[in-house]
């Protein structure tokens, strides 16, 4: 029997939990508290920021899997995505109904993948013409997600190739445009911008279109939309993403790609994700009772990110070294309130004579991702706000000290 939990077992003391994170065998792996002389990694968007919430929900999110369970490759042969568990499909549809960020009804086809990275490759495969003598161009407006270019080029596919900045694309050839909303790295809401004579297809990457990061202003109903559980709840290790697809033939081709690359997706992960989604949705059905707002995941996570942004802006406002993007307020149909965005990443720009923001922060022993990776100049850098509290607070200390040292 395997018992999967969203966070820690209830046995360890509070002090032990606060100084480490739980392993599946019930032990506690110590956290390494950053010292002033150590490097801190804010390059990757590893979502440690939500761990405390799921620690409180540990028992509610427990999943028991017996030894004989989930042994078959098959899940639902009546579905286009035959390796997706029916309970996961129902959970995904329910989640989108609760949040209202995307249309995922019975007229849509849901394809599950090992994270949205696999689904991105599957979408490129499905949208690429199979009879073209040249690869189709894949474009995205800068600053674009740093991994798009590498993901397009890594297989050296004869079906597709990297075509660069969508705003500059002017070829009379077919193309696929990737639209990321909210955008990674800068947090802005994007729309397709390619303006050329060639026929275009669009992949909408909506990994961060959840109410903790941005106001949900509308229910999207695009032809192909990508989501990932790691950005929705912070469970990056479960490696589950899903695509919502209108065209059944596109969904079949995406399913074929996943079949050929991994023969489906882990059912243990699917089971865990369905359970956690159910816990989130159940809590919103209890609104109006005595439920503490911090018991609601999106309220908790939005407050957590808002607090981090307020602290970061306070430090940067006193600084003569950096500037941050500003976001307009918008009405959120999920919260029924007007608010600004609290992106998962800070898109920082160095001021004055600092030409390379990534290198400057590296001298402070802060690892970030430089603007060149996103198709812009090196005065910009992406800084993750999803780290643990200790790492985030150490980052604030270092940029505060840097400001004082240059005065």
């Amino acid at each position: 029997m395997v018992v999967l939990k969203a966070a820690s077992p209830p046995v360890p003391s509070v002090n032990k939990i606060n100084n480490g994170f739980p392993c599946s065998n019930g032990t506690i792996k110590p956290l390494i508290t950053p010292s002033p002389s150590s490097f801190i990694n804010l390059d990757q968007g590893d979502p440690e920021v939500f761990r405390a919430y799921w620690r409180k929900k540990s028992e509610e999110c427990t999943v028991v899997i017996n030894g004989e369970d989930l042994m078959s490759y098959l899940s639902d042969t009546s579905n286009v995505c035959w390796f997706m568990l029916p309970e996961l499909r129902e959970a995904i549809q329910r989640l989108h109904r609760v949040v209202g960020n995307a249309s995922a009804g019975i007229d849509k086809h849901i394809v599950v993948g090992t994270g949205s990275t696999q689904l991105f490759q599957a979408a490129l495969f499905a949208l690429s013409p199979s009879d073209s003598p040249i690869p189709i161009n894949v474009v995205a407006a800068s600053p674009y997600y740093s991994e798009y270019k590498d993901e397009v080029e890594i297989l050296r596919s004869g079906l597709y190739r990297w075509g660069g900045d969508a705003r500059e694309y002017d070829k009379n050839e077919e193309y696929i445009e990737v639209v990321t909303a909210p955008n990674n790295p800068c947090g802005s809401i994007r729309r397709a911008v390619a303006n050329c004579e060639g026929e275009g297809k669009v992949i909408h990457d909506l990994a961060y279109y959840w109410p903790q990061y941005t106001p949900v202003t509308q229910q999207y109903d695009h032809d192909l939309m990508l989501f990932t559980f790691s950005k929705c709840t912070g469970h990056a290790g479960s490696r589950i993403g899903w695509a919502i697809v209108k065209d059944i033939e596109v969904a079949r081709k995406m399913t074929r790609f996943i079949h050929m690359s991994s023969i489906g997706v882990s059912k243990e992960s699917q089971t865990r994700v369905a359970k956690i989604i159910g816990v989130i949705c159940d809590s919103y059905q209890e609104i109006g009772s005595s439920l503490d707002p911090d018991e609601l995941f999106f309220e908790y996570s939005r407050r957590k990110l808002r607090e981090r942004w307020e602290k970061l802006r306070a430090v940067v406002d006193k600084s003569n070294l950096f500037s941050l993007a500003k976001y307009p307020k918008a009405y959120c149909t999920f919260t029924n309130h007007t608010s600004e965005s609290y992106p998962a990443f800070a898109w920082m720009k160095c001021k004055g004579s600092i030409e390379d923001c990534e290198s400057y922060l590296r001298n402070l022993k802060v690892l970030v991702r430089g603007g060149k990776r996103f198709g812009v100049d090196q005065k910009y850098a992406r800084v993750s706000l999803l780290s643990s509290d200790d790492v985030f607070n150490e980052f604030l200390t270092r940029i505060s000290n840097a400001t004082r040292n240059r005065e």
Side-chain angles (χ1 to χ4, degrees):
M1 178 188 296
V2 177
V3 179
L4 302 178
K5 295 190 176 185
S8 62
V11 176
S13 69
V14 172
N15 288 335
K16 286 184 178 180
I17 288 176
N18 287 339
N19 290 293
F21 61 88
C23 301
S24 59
N25 62 2
T27 62
I28 298 296
K29 182 176 180 180
L31 290 177
I32 300 175
T33 301
S35 68
S37 61
S38 65
F39 277 92
I40 57 175
N41 191 338
L42 297 178
D43 178 300
Q44 298 175 328
D46 199 21
E48 288 292 317
V49 64
F50 305 137
R51 182 179 293 277
Y53 178 87
W54 294 113
R55 182 179 298 129
K56 294 189 299 182
K57 296 288 184 179
S58 179
E59 290 306 303
E60 292 179 57
C61 295
T62 297
V63 176
V64 177
I65 300 175
N66 294 314
E68 74 275 15
D69 293 343
L70 310 178
M71 293 183 65
S72 174
Y73 289 119
L74 307 177
S75 294
D76 181 4
T77 56
S78 66
N79 193 357
V80 170
C81 186
W82 49 266
F83 46 79
M84 179 171 59
L85 293 172
E87 54 265 40
L88 178 60
R89 175 185 174 86
E90 292 167 4
I92 289 170
Q93 290 173 325
R94 184 185 180 197
L95 179 63
H96 286 297
R97 285 196 304 270
V98 168
V99 176
N101 59 345
S103 175
I106 59 174
D107 59 329
K108 306 298 192 304
H109 307 282
I110 298 176
V111 180
V112 66
T114 304
S116 59
T117 299
Q118 185 183 38
L119 288 164
F120 178 65
Q121 292 283 2
L124 294 178
F125 170 77
L127 296 179
S128 299
S130 58
D131 56 354
S132 175
I134 59 173
I136 191 171
N137 292 293
V138 182
V139 299
S142 64
Y144 43 73
Y145 175 46
S146 56
E147 300 302 309
Y148 285 152
K149 183 175 184 291
D150 290 345
E151 288 173 14
V152 169
E153 293 181 339
I154 190 169
L155 296 179
R156 300 183 180 181
S157 172
L159 295 176
Y160 47 83
R161 64 189 176 193
W162 180 245
D165 192 336
R167 292 190 182 90
E168 299 176 0
Y169 185 75
D170 58 2
K171 296 181 180 180
N172 187 18
E173 298 175 2
E174 288 185 282
Y175 66 92
I176 299 171
E177 182 174 358
V178 190
V179 176
T180 313
N183 190 41
N184 177 358
C186 67
S188 62
I189 298 296
R190 293 288 190 85
R191 291 176 172 79
V193 298
N195 184 17
C196 59
E197 295 181 5
E199 180 183 352
K201 302 171 183 176
V202 182
I203 298 171
H204 284 87
D205 185 344
L206 304 178
Y208 293 95
Y209 191 50
W210 298 101
Q212 68 265 48
Y213 305 113
T214 189
V216 174
T217 58
Q218 60 181 299
Q219 184 183 69
Y220 285 131
D221 191 25
H222 300 299
D223 289 344
L224 199 164
M225 301 179 285
L226 302 182
F227 291 90
T228 173
F229 198 58
S230 63
K231 305 307 183 291
C232 174
T233 68
H235 292 88
S238 293
R239 306 308 309 127
I240 290 290
W242 61 90
I244 303 174
V245 186
K246 285 186 179 180
D247 189 327
I248 190 172
E249 292 306 318
V250 172
R252 282 177 175 150
K253 287 182 179 180
M254 292 181 69
T255 300
R256 173 67 173 166
F257 180 91
I258 296 170
H259 172 199
M260 295 306 298
S261 60
S262 58
I263 319 182
V265 176
S266 166
K267 290 183 180 179
E268 285 84 357
S269 289
Q270 292 188 58
T271 300
R272 185 186 190 208
V273 169
K275 177 67 173 181
I276 294 171
I277 289 176
V279 169
I280 292 174
C281 293
D282 287 347
S283 68
Y284 281 95
Q285 290 183 338
E286 298 175 21
I287 291 177
S289 67
S290 58
L291 193 67
D292 186 324
D294 264 7
E295 291 296 309
L296 300 169
F297 173 70
F298 292 117
E299 274 62 25
Y300 169 89
S301 53
R302 185 170 63 254
R303 177 184 60 78
K304 189 76 173 176
L305 288 171
R306 183 184 70 244
E307 290 173 353
R308 290 198 171 187
W309 270 100
E310 289 171 350
K311 291 178 181 178
L312 178 59
R313 288 196 187 279
V315 170
V316 169
D317 286 347
K318 296 179 181 178
S319 169
N320 57 359
L321 303 179
F322 310 102
S323 63
L324 292 168
K326 295 186 181 297
Y327 305 99
K329 290 186 176 182
Y331 181 78
C332 179
T333 58
F334 176 74
T335 63
N336 294 319
H337 291 98
T338 297
S339 67
E340 60 184 275
S341 297
Y342 305 110
F345 301 99
W347 188 229
M348 295 183 68
K349 183 179 181 181
C350 282
K351 293 181 178 180
S353 61
I354 303 174
E355 295 297 328
D356 189 332
C357 195
E358 179 183 8
S359 295
Y360 180 81
L361 289 171
R362 188 179 182 87
N363 288 335
L364 303 180
K365 296 192 174 181
V366 179
L367 302 179
V368 298
R369 196 168 298 186
K372 187 176 181 181
R373 293 278 302 277
F374 302 93
V376 297
D377 68 59
Q378 285 291 87
K379 288 188 79 73
Y380 290 91
R382 191 194 74 172
V383 181
S384 172
L385 299 189
L386 301 178
S387 66
S388 66
D389 288 340
D390 285 345
V391 170
F392 176 72
N393 291 331
E394 178 65 23
F395 168 64
L396 294 181
T397 298
R398 293 186 189 186
I399 61 174
S400 296
N401 291 340
T403 296
R404 287 193 292 269
N405 292 339
R406 289 176 68 96
E407 290 177 350

